[in-house]
Amino acid sequence: MREREDEQARRVSGRRARGELESDVLAALWAAEGPRTARQVRDDLPGDLAYTTVLTILSRLHEKGMLVRHREGRGYAYEPARDEASHTARRMRSLLDGGSDREAVLARFVSELSADDEHMLHQLLAEPGGPGQGESSRRKR
């Protein structure tokens, strides 16, 4: 219900939902083949965003430690501090840590997985050393 209300408000006001622009900027940077300037990121995003808006978002993401920046000419080029999988895992962990009943949250999460995702989770848990320590994880780093 809340998502529908947010979507309606966004359509009426023309504004993005809270955090949506940051997510769009991160997605553009993850899809890029190396560091990007604010102008390049702006060109990668849909719509007609102001250069200063994109620069503000990049600066905020850098201050939060989500981006690293490199001097390029008179400005900076930005790239994600972590890959998308690491970022998403960190967000999931933060949500789990914020809940009052960890077991209930994990049980609900697992019960709502697709059969393919459940199978993948079983495989990851069966890897020597536990999740994230297997050969497939090392190759992706």
Side-chain angles (χ1 to χ4, degrees):
M1 177 73 174
R2 175 78 179 150
E3 290 175 13
R4 240 184 293 147
E5 290 171 1
D6 288 346
E7 179 64 28
Q8 285 178 329
R10 187 172 60 135
R11 268 190 256 126
V12 170
S13 71
R15 297 180 61 113
R16 287 181 164 81
R18 184 171 171 232
E20 186 178 350
L21 186 52
E22 284 187 358
S23 295
D24 290 347
V25 167
L26 281 170
L29 288 167
W30 282 317
E33 304 235 354
R36 308 282 283 166
T37 65
R39 191 164 311 285
Q40 291 169 321
V41 171
R42 189 188 93 195
D43 293 344
D44 292 341
L45 295 171
D48 190 26
L49 292 169
Y51 171 81
T52 54
T53 300
V54 174
L55 191 56
T56 298
I57 295 300
L58 290 167
S59 295
R60 287 181 183 165
L61 289 170
H62 176 258
E63 289 169 8
K64 292 178 181 181
M66 299 172 78
L67 299 179
V68 293
R69 66 183 183 191
H70 313 279
R71 189 54 100 169
E72 186 166 304
R74 295 185 342 194
Y76 293 99
Y78 297 83
E79 63 183 331
R82 290 176 293 282
D83 63 22
E84 186 177 8
S86 296
H87 172 75
T88 303
R90 183 173 283 202
R91 288 178 58 206
M92 291 170 67
R93 175 67 186 263
S94 176
L95 289 170
L96 182 60
D97 289 346
S100 61
D101 188 345
R102 191 178 198 89
E103 183 178 349
V105 172
L106 284 170
R108 178 64 55 94
F109 176 75
V110 171
S111 73
E112 294 181 10
L113 290 174
S114 69
D116 289 343
D117 286 344
E118 187 175 345
H119 179 71
M120 187 183 324
L121 183 58
H122 279 289
Q123 286 181 316
L124 289 169
L125 291 171
E127 285 184 356
Q133 303 302 311
E135 185 63 31
S136 63
S137 177
R138 282 193 293 274
R139 278 191 307 242
K140 292 179 185 174
R141 288 187 189 152

